[in-house]
Amino acid sequence: MPTDILLSDPPLWLTTPLLGEPQASELLARLDAELAWQRPTLRLYGREHPIPRRQVWMGDPEARYRYSARDFHPDPWHPAVAALRDRVTDALAASGTPARFNSVLLNRYADGEERMGWHSDDEPELGCDPLIAAVSLGAERPLRFRGKPGVARPGDAGPLSPFNVWLPHDSLLVMGPGAQGALQHALLPRKIPGLRISLTFRWVVG
């Protein structure tokens, strides 16, 4: 699988394709049809707002997660998602980056108007310097990155200019240890048609 090294410190790389066709498109259709997609509300500035996408939190029973003052309890592993988790684990092991995952956040974007705001996956439940592996299925969209405000880059490196990483169908983006401490990312609205489902695999510390 061809791999594009986007950053070396913190490590950020993109691999595509992960599954190949027709498996990737079949998985996209299956997840869209079979999962119990939800649109929870989050409290921002004292008001409840529905998130601008649909999602499912899935994983081992103990992989509970707290985000924006809400507790999320995982749905059981869907067989197709568990198989994808194992495929991602094998791909990382083959690249010399062993990892394990007990949970995954799936986000469903119906079109380019649905989005995810600026954030880092740095909640305490994820431990120190987590590795996040993100699989993209469906419409290709750019994930926008920027340096986290107030965090200096290693050595004598200057400020990190914001940049896009285009995530094609059937791709694997790996944000290695240190990426969440140094970077923020967002899926900003774009006039791009088509369904996209992302799966971000992670390890929740018990």
Side-chain angles (χ1 to χ4, degrees):
M1 294 182 291
T3 297
D4 184 10
I5 304 299
L6 306 170
L7 289 176
S8 58
D9 192 3
L12 187 71
W13 72 91
L14 182 69
T15 298
T16 186
L18 176 65
L19 301 175
E21 291 292 2
Q23 290 86 355
S25 293
E26 290 172 351
L27 178 60
L28 173 66
R30 187 175 179 186
L31 296 181
D32 186 36
E34 297 181 8
L35 297 190
W37 295 101
Q38 306 154 15
R39 193 188 296 272
T41 59
L42 299 178
R43 179 172 290 275
L44 296 172
Y45 306 110
R47 298 182 62 185
E48 295 286 336
H49 300 269
I51 65 172
R53 60 193 175 279
R54 295 186 184 274
Q55 69 178 33
V56 175
W57 176 248
M58 185 181 297
D60 296 348
E62 68 276 9
R64 293 181 295 273
Y65 193 60
R66 186 169 180 81
Y67 175 73
S68 190
R70 284 199 56 178
D71 292 314
F72 292 91
H73 297 268
D75 289 352
W77 287 102
H78 184 286
V81 179
L84 180 62
R85 173 202 61 203
D86 295 343
R87 183 67 174 265
V88 170
T89 301
D90 290 345
L92 288 171
S95 71
T97 308
R100 56 179 182 163
F101 306 106
N102 63 0
S103 52
V104 59
L105 179 63
L106 300 99
N107 282 297
R108 181 190 185 278
Y109 304 91
D111 54 37
E113 295 302 317
E114 298 200 330
R115 63 198 185 276
M116 172 83 77
W118 285 107
H119 70 287
S120 297
D121 297 318
D122 57 0
E123 291 77 14
E125 294 90 340
L126 300 180
C128 180
D129 290 339
L131 182 149
I132 307 292
V135 175
S136 294
L137 300 170
E140 182 175 8
R141 289 181 63 178
L143 192 64
R144 185 76 168 168
F145 283 89
R146 69 184 182 188
K148 185 176 285 189
V151 176
R153 296 186 67 197
D156 296 325
L160 181 66
S161 298
F163 62 96
N164 287 335
V165 176
W166 284 85
L167 301 175
H169 174 56
D170 193 22
S171 62
L172 170 64
L173 176 71
V174 179
M175 295 178 278
Q180 304 307 319
L183 302 173
Q184 292 180 326
H185 54 278
L187 192 77
L188 302 177
R190 288 245 184 171
K191 293 187 180 300
I192 296 176
L195 171 68
R196 175 179 184 266
I197 292 177
S198 69
L199 306 93
T200 52
F201 292 93
R202 55 195 74 195
W203 181 266
V204 171
V205 178

